[in-house]
Amino acid sequence: MLKPRPTPTRELVNLDGLWRFGVAGRVQDEPWTGRLETPLEAPVPASYNDLFTDPAIRDHVGWAWYQRQVRVPRGWDGERVLLRFDAATHAGRVYVDDRLVAEHVGGYTPFEADITDVVSAGQEFRLTVGVSNELTNVTIPPGKITVDQFGTRKQTYLHDFYNYAGLARSVWLYSRPATHVEDVTIRTGVDGSAGTVDYAVRTSAAADVRVRALDETGAEVGSGTGAEGTLRIDGVTLWRPGAAYLYDLVVEVLDGDTVVDSYTEPFGVRTVEVRGTEFLINGEPFYFTGFGKHEDTPVRGKGHDDAYLVHDFQLMEWIGANSFRTAHYPYAEEVLEFADRHGIVVIDETAAVGINLAVQGGLTGLAPEPTFSPETFNDETRAAHAQHLRELIARDKNHPSVVMWCIANEPSSNEEGAREYFEPLIRLTRELDPTRPLTSTAVMFARADNDLIADLLDVLSINRYFGWYVATGDLATAETYLEGDLRAWAALGKPVMMAEYGADTMPGLHSVWDQPWSEEYQASYLEMNHRVFDRVEAFVGEHVWNFADFQTSNGIHRVDGNKKGVFTRDRKPKTAAHTLRSRWRGLQNRKPGTAG
Ligand code: GCB
């Protein structure tokens, strides 16, 4: 799905700001039929959970309602008028005045409503949006709703981060011509010093199409006609990690000589490939340094914030991170665009976190109930996962920063039924995008000798906490466990990367001993991991868990959130930040000990 942009034929109105807000039960039934009866206002974009002092709002399970007035610009007569929600977490319903105009399931991908027939240029309408935070066995991510002895609905889920909900990304009103560009797909290659740009344009109706590629100065470097074709950019400047370069593809829909629609999609020319045990970008081995991140900040929850965006990328540059994983859901499009412009490499992950009931069994790894069964995660779950993959790839396919799809985080990939669940999803992902490698992160119970999906993936991403959840405080034992585990994965003959390793750390707690939770322990724990990584041949990268401390649901393992951040939640460095900085700033995208 194309991001709405202002172009010579399209106009865009941003609907962010304060909206009337209330949760179901505290506002009238059918709130879309009139003015929302509430004293509250909520900012968009922001999760609503941490805004209010009332615990009934923070713990609410079900629909929450947002409402505002919107005026359609008077010049839009004759244009199609659309609403675009960058995300409504986890399900959305949209009403224009009394009328339902859109429904969407999935909290991290965008959706639109064509409202041309129910609004008029120059007139106002009442926009009401319902957002549900419910997670069940057939949502992605999954969860479970129970009713306690007091009749209160409770939401539980299989991930530790807090289930923030609401309108956490921007909302737009935009105009588009009747005959327009629906979609653009761009795939690039390298031929000597030239770049090749395969493009495919989908239009809303049969029409002539013209495309032009412009470089960063605006000079035309290639052009073509027809809905599909290949452009050649001689003397191309490649998009490289740490040295981004973007071109624009200007796509025009023609009626004779008249341009009826124009849309510009930025792109970078680069290749990605897995060869043997190497991960290659533009044919050169790439070693990932960086983090699993979260979209998480105080007060805003998962609300997108450009200030944190800029600051987080500054800190990543400071520390020598060349990449990150969008753990555990697709991030705001602004984040990927920023990564595109600044040469940061992204592993783009779905929201399929917690397809795993074995984790409930604690460290025994025994599932109290099977993960894959008609009663637990079933065909309907897989259909939701497939739909999520379609929407993710439709949204993110043209970002040069995205070099790999991560189809799930820590599924129960060693359990019966895992292959049957994942094989069709992996086939679908490869059909949707044959150009990018695939991975999925392996939970601690999934080992090289019992994992059932590793042979279907291109890169083996491993999450391990030896020295934290296992062999706590005993780094010597942890080191032997880790080395044995990783060497077994490496023997499978594919690139291996550490997608998560980390230790909870209380800023300000210090110790001369290997004391868990101290700043020194986090640093020693990371150094122990690095010693092992440097001994494993097939290793292609290290992503520390996590970039920053983040909020979690209540639980005895967490004190005001997960504290595995290398930075605090307000982005102050812990001691380990300096440890990582001295290691990563020397690596320059390369594995330690390799030439280059
Ligand atoms: C994991 C999960 C991640 C958790 C982390 C932890 O394996 O993938 O979401 O936050 O462990 O800190 O326990």
Side-chain angles (χ1 to χ4, degrees), residues 59-63 133-134 145-148 151-155:
D59 299 337
H60 176 72
V61 179
W63 291 92
N133 61 355
E134 295 183 16
I145 296 169
T146 52
V147 180
D148 72 8
T152 309
R153 299 175 82 221
K154 295 265 160 82
Q155 175 77 67

Side-chain angles (χ1 to χ4, degrees), residues 159-161 294 325 328 353 409-410 463 465 469 500 504 545 550 558 562 564:
H159 51 78
D160 73 339
F161 60 95
H294 260 303
R325 175 169 60 112
H328 293 309
V353 48
N409 183 66
E410 298 195 345
N463 294 359
Y465 291 90
Y469 292 122
E500 282 183 25
D504 283 276
W545 191 256
F550 58 89
R558 306 287 185 244
N562 187 311
K564 294 191 186 69

Side-chain angles (χ1 to χ4, degrees), residues 190-475:
V190 178
D191 179 15
S193 63
T196 57
V197 184
D198 294 339
Y199 70 89
V201 176
R202 200 174 73 226
T203 51
S204 59
D208 290 338
V209 171
R210 178 168 77 193
V211 300
R212 287 178 293 135
L214 310 180
D215 70 13
E216 284 188 351
T217 70
E220 188 172 307
V221 292
S223 65
T225 53
E228 285 183 19
T230 302
L231 307 183
R232 198 180 159 82
I233 303 177
D234 288 320
V236 71
T237 305
L238 295 178
W239 187 97
R240 294 177 193 278
Y245 191 93
L246 295 179
Y247 293 89
D248 275 336
L249 190 72
V250 181
V251 181
E252 290 168 329
V253 179
L254 304 172
D255 181 5
D257 287 341
T258 311
V259 175
V260 293
D261 189 25
S262 170
Y263 185 84
T264 299
E265 181 79 335
F267 68 97
V269 180
R270 57 112 185 89
T271 62
V272 180
E273 188 191 342
V274 165
R275 199 186 300 150
T277 58
E278 288 185 319
F279 193 95
L280 307 175
I281 300 181
N282 300 325
E284 291 169 16
F286 181 75
Y287 189 82
F288 294 81
T289 58
F291 301 95
K293 281 186 99 260
H294 260 303
E295 290 188 312
D296 175 273
T297 58
V299 186
R300 276 177 184 275
K302 298 209 171 304
H304 175 72
D305 184 305
D306 278 341
Y308 274 98
L309 167 71
V310 169
H311 192 55
D312 283 6
F313 275 74
Q314 279 286 301
L315 292 176
M316 285 196 283
E317 188 188 332
W318 173 85
I319 206 168
N322 60 19
S323 55
F324 65 93
R325 175 169 60 112
T326 69
H328 293 309
Y329 36 81
Y331 289 2
E333 286 155 277
E334 289 84 349
V335 179
L336 299 180
E337 290 178 332
F338 200 86
D340 288 345
R341 291 196 298 273
H342 295 272
I344 295 287
V345 169
V346 178
I347 299 173
D348 204 352
E349 182 163 286
T350 68
V353 48
I355 310 282
N356 193 330
L357 296 176
V359 172
Q360 292 183 123
L363 295 184
T364 64
L366 297 174
E369 46 184 345
T371 299
F372 305 99
S373 79
E375 292 74 37
T376 54
F377 301 129
N378 54 30
D379 291 351
E380 216 184 315
T381 321
R382 190 175 56 200
H385 197 157
Q387 178 58 17
H388 177 61
L389 277 161
R390 284 187 202 98
E391 293 184 20
L392 169 67
I393 293 171
R395 192 194 75 159
D396 290 350
K397 62 189 172 183
N398 294 332
H399 288 287
S401 59
V402 174
V403 299
M404 180 153 66
W405 305 113
C406 183
I407 57 169
N409 183 66
E410 298 195 345
S412 199
S413 57
N414 55 311
E415 208 182 311
E416 198 185 323
R419 200 172 174 90
E420 291 72 12
Y421 181 92
F422 278 103
E423 203 166 14
L425 294 176
I426 290 171
R427 201 178 320 122
L428 171 72
T429 311
R430 291 197 193 283
E431 275 163 29
L432 293 168
D433 181 7
T435 70
R436 287 180 178 87
L438 299 188
T439 195
S440 167
T441 67
V443 67
M444 65 181 298
F445 310 122
R447 300 180 314 265
D449 62 356
N450 68 3
D451 189 275
L452 300 171
I453 64 170
D455 64 309
L456 304 172
L457 302 168
D458 303 305
V459 172
L460 305 174
S461 295
I462 315 300
N463 294 359
R464 289 294 180 267
Y465 291 90
F466 293 121
W468 187 253
Y469 292 122
V470 176
T472 317
D474 180 356
L475 292 176

